[in-house]
Protein backbone atom coordinates (compact mmCIF):
# COMPACT_ATOMS: atom_id res chain seq x y z
CA UNK A 1 0.00 0.00 0.00
CA UNK A 2 1.24 3.47 -0.77
CA UNK A 3 0.49 6.87 0.72
CA UNK A 4 -0.82 9.41 -1.81
CA UNK A 5 1.61 12.33 -2.03
CA UNK A 6 -1.12 14.83 -1.15
CA UNK A 7 -1.59 12.96 2.15
CA UNK A 8 2.01 13.28 3.35
CA UNK A 9 2.04 14.91 6.79
CA UNK A 10 4.84 17.44 6.36
CA UNK A 11 4.16 20.25 3.88
CA UNK A 12 7.85 20.73 2.95
CA UNK A 13 8.33 17.01 2.33
CA UNK A 14 5.07 16.93 0.37
CA UNK A 15 6.34 19.78 -1.88
CA UNK A 16 9.66 17.93 -2.36
CA UNK A 17 8.02 14.63 -3.35
CA UNK A 18 5.42 16.36 -5.54
CA UNK A 19 8.13 18.21 -7.48
CA UNK A 20 10.32 15.11 -7.75
CA UNK A 21 7.47 12.99 -9.10
CA UNK A 22 6.46 15.72 -11.57
CA UNK A 23 10.09 16.01 -12.75
CA UNK A 24 9.68 19.75 -12.10
CA UNK A 25 13.16 21.14 -11.47
CA UNK A 26 11.93 24.66 -10.67
CA UNK A 27 9.40 23.47 -8.08
CA UNK A 28 12.02 21.11 -6.66
CA UNK A 29 14.50 23.95 -6.15
CA UNK A 30 11.73 26.03 -4.54
CA UNK A 31 11.11 23.19 -2.06
CA UNK A 32 14.73 23.46 -0.84
CA UNK A 33 16.53 26.07 1.22
CA UNK A 34 19.23 27.95 -0.74
CA UNK A 35 22.01 26.08 1.09
CA UNK A 36 20.35 22.64 1.10
CA UNK A 37 22.59 19.57 1.39
CA UNK A 38 22.11 15.84 0.97
CA UNK A 39 23.68 12.43 1.31
CA UNK A 40 23.22 9.12 -0.49
CA UNK A 41 24.05 5.86 1.30
CA UNK A 42 25.90 7.78 4.02
CA UNK A 43 28.11 9.90 1.75
CA UNK A 44 27.55 13.61 1.22
CA UNK A 45 26.93 14.40 -2.43
CA UNK A 46 26.80 17.52 -4.57
CA UNK A 47 23.08 18.25 -4.54
CA UNK A 48 22.87 19.72 -8.06
CA UNK A 49 24.86 16.90 -9.68
CA UNK A 50 23.07 14.15 -7.76
CA UNK A 51 19.56 15.44 -8.44
CA UNK A 52 20.32 15.89 -12.15
CA UNK A 53 21.64 12.33 -12.46
CA UNK A 54 19.36 10.46 -10.05
CA UNK A 55 16.11 12.41 -10.48
CA UNK A 56 15.74 14.69 -13.47
CA UNK A 57 17.67 13.13 -16.37
CA UNK A 58 16.62 9.61 -15.28
CA UNK A 59 12.95 10.37 -14.51
CA UNK A 60 13.04 9.56 -10.79
CA UNK A 61 9.77 8.70 -9.02
CA UNK A 62 8.84 7.90 -5.41
CA UNK A 63 5.97 5.78 -4.17
CA UNK A 64 5.80 6.35 -0.43
CA UNK A 65 5.09 3.22 1.62
CA UNK A 66 5.28 4.73 5.10
CA UNK A 67 6.14 7.85 7.04
CA UNK A 68 7.14 8.54 10.64
CA UNK A 69 8.72 11.29 12.74
CA UNK A 70 5.89 13.69 11.84
CA UNK A 71 6.49 13.05 8.14
CA UNK A 72 10.25 13.67 8.22
CA UNK A 73 11.18 10.02 7.56
CA UNK A 74 9.81 8.13 4.58
CA UNK A 75 10.22 4.63 3.24
CA UNK A 76 9.52 4.59 -0.47
CA UNK A 77 9.90 2.54 -3.58
CA UNK A 78 12.15 4.76 -5.68
CA UNK A 79 12.72 4.15 -9.35
CA UNK A 80 14.57 5.82 -12.17
CA UNK A 81 15.68 4.89 -15.66
CA UNK A 82 19.28 4.27 -14.51
CA UNK A 83 18.85 1.90 -11.55
CA UNK A 84 15.30 0.57 -11.84
CA UNK A 85 13.33 0.26 -8.61
CA UNK A 86 14.62 -0.09 -5.06
CA UNK A 87 13.25 0.31 -1.56
CA UNK A 88 14.70 3.48 -0.05
CA UNK A 89 14.63 5.47 3.16
CA UNK A 90 14.52 9.27 3.11
CA UNK A 91 15.14 11.48 6.14
CA UNK A 92 14.48 15.19 5.92
CA UNK A 93 15.55 18.23 7.92
CA UNK A 94 13.11 21.11 7.44
CA UNK A 95 13.87 24.75 8.21
CA UNK A 96 11.47 27.63 7.63
CA UNK A 97 9.07 25.41 5.70
CA UNK A 98 11.66 24.11 3.22
CA UNK A 99 13.90 21.06 3.03
CA UNK A 100 17.37 22.00 4.31
CA UNK A 101 18.82 18.50 4.07
CA UNK A 102 17.81 15.08 2.94
CA UNK A 103 19.54 11.78 3.47
CA UNK A 104 18.61 8.82 1.33
CA UNK A 105 19.77 5.26 0.92
CA UNK A 106 18.54 1.73 0.56
CA UNK A 107 15.99 0.69 3.19
Amino acid sequence: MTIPVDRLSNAAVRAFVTALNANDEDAFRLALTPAATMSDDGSDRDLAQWTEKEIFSSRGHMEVESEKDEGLTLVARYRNDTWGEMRTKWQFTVEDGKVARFDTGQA
Side-chain angles (χ1 to χ4, degrees):
M1 190 168 111
T2 60
I3 300 171
V5 175
D6 64 352
R7 294 267 178 100
L8 294 175
S9 301
N10 185 283
V13 172
R14 189 168 54 245
F16 176 101
V17 176
T18 299
L20 186 154
N21 285 350
N23 205 32
D24 185 335
E25 293 183 60
D26 292 333
F28 188 83
R29 278 192 289 278
L30 288 172
L32 302 173
T33 63
T37 60
M38 59 90 49
S39 72
D40 183 7
D41 284 328
S43 298
D44 279 4
R45 307 286 185 184
D46 178 277
L47 184 119
Q49 288 178 347
W50 188 91
T51 55
E52 175 55 32
K53 180 181 176 192
E54 301 294 338
I55 297 173
F56 299 113
S57 68
S58 61
R59 298 185 312 142
H61 189 85
M62 291 174 82
E63 290 185 31
V64 179
E65 294 179 349
S66 65
E67 65 174 357
K68 63 181 184 178
D69 302 325
E70 298 178 359
L72 295 176
T73 301
L74 306 178
V75 172
R77 289 191 313 272
Y78 185 78
R79 67 178 182 273
N80 66 27
D81 291 346
T82 303
W83 305 108
E85 184 174 298
M86 64 192 80
R87 195 160 185 258
T88 55
K89 181 177 181 181
W90 299 73
Q91 292 183 281
F92 296 91
T93 302
V94 173
E95 295 174 1
D96 299 323
K98 295 188 179 223
V99 172
R101 180 173 178 85
F102 65 95
D103 301 283
T104 187
Q106 294 204 37

